[in-house]
Amino acid sequence: MPSDAGKKAYVVAMVIQVIYTGMYVVSKAALDGGMNTFVFIFYRQAAATLLLVPLAILLERRNAPPMSLWLFTKIFMYALLGSTVSMNLHNLSLKYTSATVASATSNSIPVITFLFAVLLHLEAIKLRASSGAAKLVGVALCVGGVLVIALYAGPPLSPLNHHRAFAGHAHAGGGNKQGQWMKGTFLMLLANVTWSLWIVLQARLLKEYPNKLLATALQCLLSTAQSLALAAAATGGKRDAWRLRLDVGLVAVAYSGFVVTGVSFYLQAWCIERRGPVFLAMSNPLGLLLTVFCSSFFLGEVVHLGSVLGGALLVAGLYSVLWGKSKELPPPSSAPASSAVICTVKQVCVTSNDVMNMDKEDEVKLEEKRIKLDSQV
């Protein structure tokens, strides 16, 4: 029933936020325990590669599109931007700040992605319309939120648990020097900028190389090689930095590589396919609340008022941009409300009842329409 499908989408969105909350907390615990940030990303990407590459070979080896040298170069550069650079910046900033800041600033990703889409003429801002004004206000609120987190600490909020569940040196937000905290916040913003640019470029890449699993697996494999070179340069041949022990560092690598990459990426694709990217983005603030609670309880992290206020501004900016975007969407069709809707990336929609009754000729016609629409875009 549609109501059950709707409930399932809400549950999946909550599970996704729980998974990312766990990633922020265990990653922060591993870095506080002394794990090298660059080595961590290498092991994470290697674990993800071990998961994705066999799946891609097993499931998609017969459907692999042809690849030119120029296309391979593009994929190499996208892997460098979206995985290697973005993830290393993220972990480096997490070392200087807190899990709460990482979760709060993630709300800026949809807004930054929207800005890149405007710059690349994939989106437009109607300044005289309420939707355009809402988008501009959302961008301003996100910028204000980042500045508040970076420049204003405010009074500390007492942690829920004074006994840390994970051993390691206390590295909470309140204990950082102001210079490190500011540097970490802006590094986190830069990580989100590179990730947002990768999202926009990825949409173009999938037009040239439409096999999502193979494209993801190849980028993950290339990022592993890039991260290995970067980590080798950063550690300077110190063997101790590469040693994995039976501690939270190993848990963080396995969790990030297998659970985040394997489980959450699939759940996100499922959720976006059924309810759209806006629905998933609107669940981001739940992840912030969960991260504040879990980082305080498990890490004994001291959350400052500035982080809470900055996070609130980022959430408000996110919703403002999403509201403006929703106002520009075309009105729904006259299909019955009980029919589930399946939307492609280019907003070509058909009801689930139509899909069940569709024969081969209809599928060919629909594919021709999609190709025409892609060529117009």
Side-chain angles (χ1 to χ4, degrees), residues 220-242:
C220 199
L221 177 62
L222 292 172
S223 175
T224 302
Q226 295 164 356
S227 299
L228 175 61
L230 185 60
T235 55
K238 297 178 182 178
R239 293 185 177 181
D240 289 342
W242 296 86

Side-chain angles (χ1 to χ4, degrees), residues 20 23-25 27-28 31 37-38 40-41 44 81-106 109 183-195 256:
Y20 274 98
M23 183 191 72
Y24 295 134
V25 173
S27 297
K28 178 62 177 174
L31 297 177
T37 58
F38 301 101
F40 179 94
I41 292 300
R44 171 183 173 171
L81 176 70
S83 297
T84 307
V85 173
S86 180
M87 289 184 180
N88 276 286
L89 285 173
H90 180 275
N91 267 25
L92 193 59
S93 63
L94 185 60
K95 183 177 181 180
Y96 290 137
T97 56
S98 67
T100 300
V101 171
S103 181
T105 54
S106 69
I109 292 177
K183 179 170 67 174
T185 303
F186 288 114
L187 282 175
M188 188 72 73
L189 179 62
L190 184 57
N192 291 340
V193 168
T194 55
W195 181 257
S256 300

Side-chain angles (χ1 to χ4, degrees), residues 110-111 114 131 134-139 142 316-326:
V111 180
F114 162 73
S131 60
K135 291 178 180 180
L136 289 177
V137 170
V139 172
C142 281
L318 168 66
Y319 279 127
S320 182
V321 170
L322 293 179
W323 181 86
K325 181 63 180 174
S326 67

Side-chain angles (χ1 to χ4, degrees), residues 29 78 91 114 135 201 215 247 266 308 337 346 352 360 366:
Y78 290 171
N91 267 25
F114 162 73
K135 291 178 180 180
L201 295 175
D247 56 10
Y266 171 79
V308 176
K346 294 300 181 183
S352 60
K360 293 296 182 182
L366 181 59

Side-chain angles (χ1 to χ4, degrees), residues 120-331:
L120 294 174
H121 303 289
L122 301 175
E123 285 274 358
I125 299 180
K126 301 176 182 178
L127 297 178
R128 297 183 179 181
S130 59
S131 60
K135 291 178 180 180
L136 289 177
V137 170
V139 172
L141 287 173
C142 281
V143 172
V146 171
L147 291 176
V148 168
I149 291 175
L151 303 177
Y152 174 68
L157 306 178
S158 179
L160 298 175
N161 182 18
H162 294 277
H163 302 283
R164 294 162 55 90
F166 297 114
H169 301 290
H171 203 69
N176 282 354
K177 295 179 180 179
Q178 184 65 20
Q180 286 186 335
W181 184 269
M182 290 176 60
K183 179 170 67 174
T185 303
F186 288 114
L187 282 175
M188 188 72 73
L189 179 62
L190 184 57
N192 291 340
V193 168
T194 55
W195 181 257
S196 299
L197 179 58
W198 176 84
I199 292 174
V200 175
L201 295 175
Q202 190 75 359
R204 292 187 170 186
L205 172 65
L206 291 176
K207 291 181 181 180
E208 298 181 59
Y209 197 82
N211 194 305
K212 299 180 183 65
L213 182 56
L214 283 174
T216 303
L218 180 56
Q219 288 184 75
C220 199
L221 177 62
L222 292 172
S223 175
T224 302
Q226 295 164 356
S227 299
L228 175 61
L230 185 60
T235 55
K238 297 178 182 178
R239 293 185 177 181
D240 289 342
W242 296 86
R243 187 175 300 168
L244 282 176
R245 301 174 178 84
L246 295 176
D247 56 10
V248 68
L250 181 60
V251 173
V253 167
Y255 184 89
S256 300
F258 294 117
V259 179
V260 176
T261 302
V263 179
S264 75
F265 283 14
Y266 171 79
L267 292 178
Q268 287 179 82
W270 183 93
C271 195
I272 290 172
E273 181 183 14
R274 281 156 180 78
R275 298 300 297 268
V278 173
F279 172 82
L280 186 60
M282 290 183 69
S283 66
N284 283 357
L286 173 63
L288 174 58
L289 294 176
L290 290 172
T291 304
V292 170
F293 175 83
C294 291
S295 62
S296 181
F297 188 83
F298 291 108
L299 301 177
E301 192 173 271
V302 178
V303 180
H304 284 70
L305 180 61
S307 297
V308 176
L309 293 178
L313 288 174
L314 286 164
V315 170
L318 168 66
Y319 279 127
S320 182
V321 170
L322 293 179
W323 181 86
K325 181 63 180 174
S326 67
K327 285 303 207 179
E328 295 179 353
L329 293 177

